[in-house]
Amino acid sequence: MEHREYNYYEANAADVNLEEITSSAKNAKILQQLRDGDPTLRYLYFGGAFGSNFNIGEGDDLGWLGYFIGRSSCLTRLFINYLPDGEGRAFVEGIARNQS
């Protein structure tokens, strides 16, 4: 995955096709909830086989996931079990901006 600056995500967040940056419809729905500020999405657990609500697969752009987590004002808990090699930087830069 190529590294993108925060301004790229900021400029394209409203128009990005969520199904094109995720590996499943379930993951796209979670990204939509994050993007839309859905107050029912209070926690996110991913990277594990059991209990994950976001299952990382081929095609998941974790830079976008990090960006949307960073913009969330509703998310109160984040559980990370696994990050694929090379995906951490963009993801961490995004979540570092979280204010919830």
Side-chain angles (χ1 to χ4, degrees), residues 10-22:
E10 193 72 10
N12 293 290
D15 300 320
V16 67
N17 183 338
L18 300 176
E19 293 185 7
E20 290 180 2
I21 60 170
T22 59

Side-chain angles (χ1 to χ4, degrees), residues 66-82:
Y67 170 79
F68 288 126
I69 289 172
R71 300 280 299 162
S72 174
S73 60
C74 300
L75 198 63
T76 59
R77 294 198 172 128
L78 176 64
F79 303 93
I80 304 169
N81 189 44
Y82 166 77

Side-chain angles (χ1 to χ4, degrees), residues 39-97:
T40 65
L41 185 63
R42 307 286 297 163
Y43 75 94
L44 184 60
Y45 178 77
F46 67 92
F50 299 102
S52 293
N53 52 350
F54 190 97
N55 293 305
I56 300 170
E58 190 172 326
D60 285 311
D61 186 326
L62 297 184
W64 277 109
L65 176 61
Y67 170 79
F68 288 126
I69 289 172
R71 300 280 299 162
S72 174
S73 60
C74 300
L75 198 63
T76 59
R77 294 198 172 128
L78 176 64
F79 303 93
I80 304 169
N81 189 44
Y82 166 77
L83 280 177
D85 291 339
E87 299 285 335
R89 181 177 174 196
F91 175 74
V92 170
E93 286 176 357
I95 65 171
R97 297 176 182 273

